[in-house]
Amino acid sequence: MSQDTDWSERARSAIRGTVQDPVLSRLLERSNLTAAQFETVLVDQLGADLAEKPLTREEITHLRRAGRKTSRGAFNRTLQQARTNIAEAVYTVLLLGYGGLLESPSLAPFLEASERLRSKTEQLREAARGDPNAYRSLVNSLLEDLERATDALRGKERDA
């Protein structure tokens, strides 16, 4: 295998592993990014690190979607849409903070959730080492708890 193929396979494998993570997939379903937008931002921001070499824009476009060629125009449009959605999400968080709503008891559990979620899934992965079914079960339980909390935030339980 040539060195040129090595970097792209390493990078694609890392991207595939990230995108297929069950926690990330569930969070993505509830986010304001599409899967293509998330993958595009991931490739744009981390592609060179994952490939362990500087990449041209042309090479970056080849890392998305299991190596199927994406035109630079399509890649750039998707990237711009993702950046717009991310900026809007950041402004939403800033708005909630500025308006004093981040201190609200209903939002307090979410302030630390992403950090705790990452560390908790790592702990679960270690605890269920060698037993993928146990890991999936533990992660599903964690995600169900998160969904119940977000449903409560959206008032689903209260309005039902």
Side-chain angles (χ1 to χ4, degrees), residues 11 15 42-53 55 60 63:
I15 291 164
L42 181 68
V43 167
D44 182 64
Q45 296 295 307
L46 301 178
D49 291 339
L50 297 172
E52 299 174 357
K53 74 174 211 133
L55 298 175
I60 286 173
L63 292 179

Side-chain angles (χ1 to χ4, degrees), residues 4 9 11 16 23 29 50 67 71 90 96 119 143:
D4 191 46
E9 264 318 301
R16 207 172 19 255
V23 174
E29 288 173 11
L50 297 172
S71 74
V90 168
L96 294 173
S119 68
L143 291 170

Side-chain angles (χ1 to χ4, degrees), residues 26-27 29-31 105-107 109-111 113-114 117 142-159:
R26 187 76 67 91
L27 293 173
E29 288 173 11
R30 300 289 189 157
S31 79
S106 64
L107 291 178
F110 299 98
L111 293 178
S114 65
L117 189 57
L142 180 66
L143 291 170
E144 286 169 11
D145 290 345
L146 182 60
E147 295 233 2
R148 276 193 294 279
T150 55
D151 286 348
L153 177 65
R154 287 189 302 223
K156 276 190 170 183
E157 291 177 5
R158 183 184 61 211
D159 297 339

Side-chain angles (χ1 to χ4, degrees), residues 55-113:
L55 298 175
T56 65
R57 290 307 276 177
E58 185 70 25
E59 290 172 325
I60 286 173
T61 64
H62 288 280
L63 292 179
R64 259 196 51 211
R65 301 288 166 126
R68 287 188 306 214
K69 182 163 174 19
T70 302
S71 74
R72 283 197 324 229
F75 182 90
N76 289 334
R77 276 189 301 280
T78 304
L79 181 59
Q80 186 56 46
Q81 291 166 348
R83 287 177 175 167
T84 297
N85 288 343
I86 292 167
E88 289 173 359
V90 168
Y91 273 102
T92 299
V93 171
L94 292 172
L95 172 67
L96 294 173
Y98 185 77
L101 296 173
L102 285 181
E103 292 85 30
S104 164
S106 64
L107 291 178
F110 299 98
L111 293 178
E112 297 175 21

